Amino acid sequence: MSLSKVLGGLFLSLLFVCGSSASGPGSGIFYTLDDLGGGHYQYNYRLTNLSLSNPVSEVTILFDHALYANLATTTDPAPAGWDDGDIIQPRPLTTPQVTGQYNIWATGGGLLIGQSAKFFSVTFDWLSTDIPGGQPYEIVDPLTWETVASGYTIPEPLSVALLMAGTVLLARKRRA
């Protein structure tokens, strides 16, 4: 199998992981992970509007009730143009069980196509033995409450790999 086919498959796989919606990947939420010790971690998020025609102005990140506890935002103050947001704690022992959420919304116009913002940070207790990974998210239209895009948060090194794979594929295609 040729290198370009392998890279092409990797590129398409990473695009699929980046997010999905009725209109395809519309935004990306990228994160870095800090190990604070003793099963306590911090996600640092960055949001990018990749292709949504309306500004991205409301985001919900979901935290599985079986994996996360004690969510807290550490973003103080909130990034310019954004509210501090709110947290709903995961509750595994209730009926029905409650998935944790971090909701944040723009107080201004939101993010236009191509715009990016260092978004916020969340600390949490991790309840598993492996390392925390990406979580599902939803981009919500604040007027209709419809989900306009959804996907999984992406670790920052993967976003760089995605860009590199795309660049290599484009260069190979031009040579052919």
Side-chain angles (χ1 to χ4, degrees):
M1 182 179 287
S2 72
L3 179 60
S4 63
K5 285 186 180 181
V6 170
L7 288 174
L10 174 65
F11 182 71
L12 291 174
S13 297
L14 288 172
L15 274 178
F16 178 75
V17 168
C18 284
S20 61
S21 70
S23 60
S27 63
I29 299 179
F30 304 95
Y31 71 87
T32 59
L33 178 67
D34 298 332
D35 185 346
L36 304 177
H40 198 63
Y41 290 86
Q42 178 171 301
Y43 282 125
N44 305 295
Y45 297 100
R46 179 176 56 84
L47 171 67
T48 301
N49 182 348
L50 299 173
S51 66
L52 292 175
S53 56
N54 290 333
V56 173
S57 56
E58 187 167 335
V59 176
T60 299
I61 296 182
L62 305 169
F63 295 83
D64 187 317
H65 63 272
L67 298 174
Y68 296 90
N70 302 317
L71 302 177
T73 181
T74 57
T75 308
D76 187 26
W82 292 87
D83 188 89
D84 290 337
D86 65 338
I87 287 181
I88 297 172
Q89 292 295 333
R91 292 192 296 270
L93 301 178
T94 61
T95 305
Q97 297 169 325
V98 175
T99 297
Q101 295 182 17
Y102 185 79
N103 304 295
I104 191 163
W105 51 90
T107 56
L111 296 176
L112 301 174
I113 293 175
Q115 289 184 324
S116 187
K118 182 180 180 294
F119 204 41
F120 59 88
S121 298
V122 172
T123 61
F124 58 93
D125 293 335
W126 181 241
L127 305 178
S128 181
T129 57
D130 56 353
I131 296 185
Q135 319 89 327
Y137 71 84
E138 298 174 344
I139 305 294
V140 178
D141 181 323
L143 299 176
T144 64
W145 295 91
E146 280 185 58
T147 299
V148 295
S150 62
Y152 283 83
T153 60
I154 305 162
E156 221 29 92
L158 274 183
S159 64
V160 172
L162 177 65
L163 290 173
M164 288 175 50
T167 302
V168 168
L169 283 173
L170 286 173
R172 286 192 170 269
K173 214 167 200 161
R174 286 186 182 162
R175 286 185 196 155

